[in-house]
Structure formats: C-alpha cells, structure tokens
Amino acid sequence: MQKYQGRVPALLAAMAAALLSTSALADPLSAMQADASALQAMATTWPQLQSAAQSYGQLAPYAAATWAGPGPVVTNPMGFREQCHNTHWDQVTQYLVTGGLNIAGDGEAEAYAIQTVATDFPEQLSGYLLQLVQSGNSQEEALANQLVAQKGPLLASVNELTALLNTTSTQLGNAIGPNTRLQPLPISHWEAGIGDAPNLSEVRYVVGPNDGAPIGWFGNISPDMSFARLVDICPTGSGILPGIPLKAQVMQEVQQAVIDEPDFAQVVQPLENGSTWTAPNLYGQGFERYANIIHPVREQLISALASDETGIAGYMAPITAPLEQYNQKVQQIMQLVQANG
C-alpha cells in the first residue's frame, strides 16, 4: 500500500501539535461524559477493525482466475468464440477491494480518534477536580480526594496506550514506506477512506443460466456475418456480499475527537469521502491485451490485500488490551462521579 507514504508521519505531527493544547469546553463534566461514551464505543470498534483486517487472509481463494480473472471464453452455436464478463468479479470480488481500503481508512481515523479522546479525558478531569476543590462543599471535596486517587493509575494507563499508538503508527509508517514489507497494490489510483467492511463469512455466489451477453469477440476478431450472435450463451450469476457496519461507528467517534480538537477536522476530512480506486480499463483493445494485463492485475490486487491486511491486523493487535484497560479506568471514574452526583 505505497500510497500512504508520508501520510502517517504528517498525521502524527498534527496530532502532537494539537495535543499540546487544552480543550476549550466550558463544562468539564459534560466533556468527560462525552469522552467516556466515545471511549466505550472505541473499545468495541477497534477490535472489530482488527478482526476485519485479519479476516482478509481469507481472500486468497478470491484471487483465483474464476473470481478475479478475465471471464470465460465460449463458442456459440455458429462456431465463433466470444469473450464473456467475469460475473464473479462484477458481483463480488471487486467490492472486496473497496472493503480492504475501507478498513485501512477506518483504522487510520480510529487511531487518531482514540489518541485524541483518550488524552482529552484526563485534561477534562483536571478541570473538574478544580471545580470540586473550589466549590467549598465538603461532599464535593471528598469526591475530589477519591478522584485524585484514581488519577494516577489513569495517567499511567493513558501513557501506556498513547505510547503504543505512537509505536503502531511508526510501524505502519515503516510498513508502507520505501522499505515496505507490504505488497504494493498493482493499481495507480486509489485512496482509503472511512467505510464499511465486507463480511467474508457471508459471501454468497449463485450461478445463473447460460443466457448472458458477451462483451466482445475472442481476439477482437468480429465475424463478418450479421447473424453471428443469434444466441447468447455466456454464463450469468449473482453475488451477495453483506457488509460489517463500521462507517457510522467510526464517523461518530471521529466527530467526538473533532469536538475535542477542532483543528483535526481538516485532517480527517479526506477520509470521510470513503475509499476509491480505479482498475485499468482495456475493454475493446483485444482479448490478448485484456488477458495479459487485466487478468493478472485483478489476481495480484486481491492477493496483495489478503497479505497486507493480515499484516496491518498484526500492527493493530497491541492496542486492543491497553485500550480496554484504559476504558475500564475511565468508566470506573464516571461511575464514581455518578454515585456521588
């Protein structure tokens, strides 16, 4: 995934600069509640993203010619050879590419959101503690003492989490840089963005009757006969590729991060447009050229995603446990606040 080169370091630089500032929210308690809610969701979303990336190791069968190749060549009743669509590709396989890019965009946005919100919570807690101490209310001062006892472990936990997030970002930056261990995608134009992931366990393909129309003559040689294509015999079929609904979750968590750090809106805006990519289009340029270029590009594209997403899942794995631990500490603090409210 070469195209990410330069994006991760720039993202880290923006994050580092923004995290030096404090949130301008006037009500620390409301901000804590919003952060805690977002962190609770993030502790669920991040493992889902990791699992979705890991599942892409199962893409290997889809790189076979049946699914990603140029489609079959058939001989019609007149004895002429015709090139057919690959309905497996049209109906299912090409959407696996978008899904893989979606996971990459989701992961990038989610990592930034986690770091932003996780860092904002202790800042808001400090503001809330100051309010309690200055209240002159003995009950609120007692609550402040209890929260101070919780703050030390909270800071230790967030420091561990953010250090791992920085390490993960560095690993990903190295992985997609000049000395990448990831397989470069064999297409020129693509962008990852926030979107849903395909549910590989629910992929279905139903073979249809042989009554489909061809896309051209084999070898781009058209018979000089007006009735040469009286019967269409290309195979048909329909695919089902349900999605794992991740876009709405990630977008909601990103929006909370933007509330915490408004300057980040311009960083995530390109990701909000979703994933896009363009495969070479060589229809009508002859079957030999089509088969020699389109066919291997499709197979390589799916194979690269299967390998790369598995590697990305490995980089994501170290975050899952410390994120859950930090979230537990945050929720414990909010329970304490609620119990004394």
Side-chain angles (χ1 to χ4, degrees):
M1 295 186 176
Q2 294 168 312
K3 198 162 185 176
Y4 275 122
Q5 182 179 350
R7 173 180 281 182
V8 172
L11 183 64
L12 287 175
M15 289 171 62
L19 288 172
L20 293 175
S21 65
T22 58
S23 174
L25 289 171
D27 182 4
L29 179 56
S30 295
M32 288 167 60
Q33 291 169 335
D35 286 346
S37 178
L39 285 165
Q40 181 74 16
M42 291 170 176
T44 300
T45 304
W46 184 265
Q48 287 180 318
L49 285 170
Q50 179 194 333
S51 176
Q54 184 64 46
S55 75
Y56 265 62
Q58 303 170 24
L59 277 181
Y62 296 94
T66 299
W67 286 85
V73 174
V74 299
T75 301
N76 72 11
M78 303 298 298
F80 300 114
R81 304 185 73 192
E82 299 178 309
Q83 173 67 51
C84 300
H85 276 289
N86 184 338
T87 52
H88 290 75
W89 172 267
D90 295 341
Q91 295 288 329
V92 175
T93 319
Q94 65 173 312
Y95 301 106
L96 297 176
V97 180
T98 304
L101 297 178
N102 284 352
I103 294 173
D106 291 346
E108 183 176 351
E110 188 77 1
Y112 131 68
I114 290 172
Q115 187 150 4
T116 303
V117 176
T119 307
D120 186 69
F121 184 83
E123 295 176 358
Q124 301 297 343
L125 176 58
S126 295
Y128 182 59
L129 284 170
L130 183 61
Q131 287 184 353
L132 293 177
V133 171
Q134 292 178 339
S135 69
N137 183 299
S138 60
Q139 183 177 354
E140 292 188 354
E141 290 176 357
L143 173 59
N145 290 332
Q146 296 179 63
L147 292 176
V148 166
Q150 298 283 339
K151 190 174 181 181
L154 178 77
L155 292 175
S157 181
V158 75
N159 288 340
E160 177 188 2
L161 175 60
T162 54
L164 283 170
L165 280 167
N166 287 334
T167 299
T168 296
S169 298
T170 300
Q171 288 175 324
L172 285 170
N174 291 339
I176 61 185
N179 299 318
T180 179
R181 292 185 178 182
L182 301 183
Q183 297 184 46
L185 299 183
I187 50 177
S188 300
H189 305 288
W190 60 272
E191 289 288 346
I194 300 172
D196 295 338
N199 187 344
L200 291 175
S201 65
E202 296 296 329
V203 173
R204 298 290 183 271
Y205 184 83
V206 179
V207 177
N210 292 336
D211 59 2
I215 61 174
W217 296 104
F218 176 77
N220 206 28
I221 300 174
S222 177
D224 188 19
M225 300 173 63
S226 61
F227 55 85
R229 188 172 285 159
L230 293 178
V231 180
D232 292 328
I233 61 171
C234 283
T236 62
S238 60
I240 299 173
L241 182 60
I244 302 172
L246 293 171
K247 180 175 182 177
Q249 295 173 239
V250 174
M251 287 293 295
Q252 184 174 358
E253 291 150 23
V254 164
Q255 289 307 310
Q256 179 57 47
V258 170
I259 291 172
D260 291 345
E261 297 293 347
D263 290 344
F264 279 150
Q266 58 186 348
V267 178
V268 298
Q269 191 278 327
L271 296 173
E272 294 177 357
N273 296 327
S275 299
T276 60
W277 63 281
T278 304
N281 183 3
L282 298 173
Y283 293 127
Q285 299 188 29
F287 175 74
E288 286 81 3
R289 180 165 172 76
Y290 173 78
N292 292 335
I293 297 179
I294 291 286
H295 182 185
V297 165
R298 285 178 173 179
E299 294 189 12
Q300 293 167 17
L301 186 55
I302 301 299
S303 178
L305 282 170
S307 174
D308 291 351
E309 291 292 343
T310 302
I312 288 173
Y315 292 130
M316 296 176 71
I319 304 301
T320 303
L323 173 59
E324 177 59 30
Q325 292 169 4
Y326 180 66
N327 177 55
Q328 288 176 357
K329 289 180 170 55
V330 168
Q331 303 308 323
Q332 288 169 358
I333 286 175
M334 296 311 298
Q335 289 170 7
L336 183 60
V337 171
Q338 184 178 4
N340 288 270

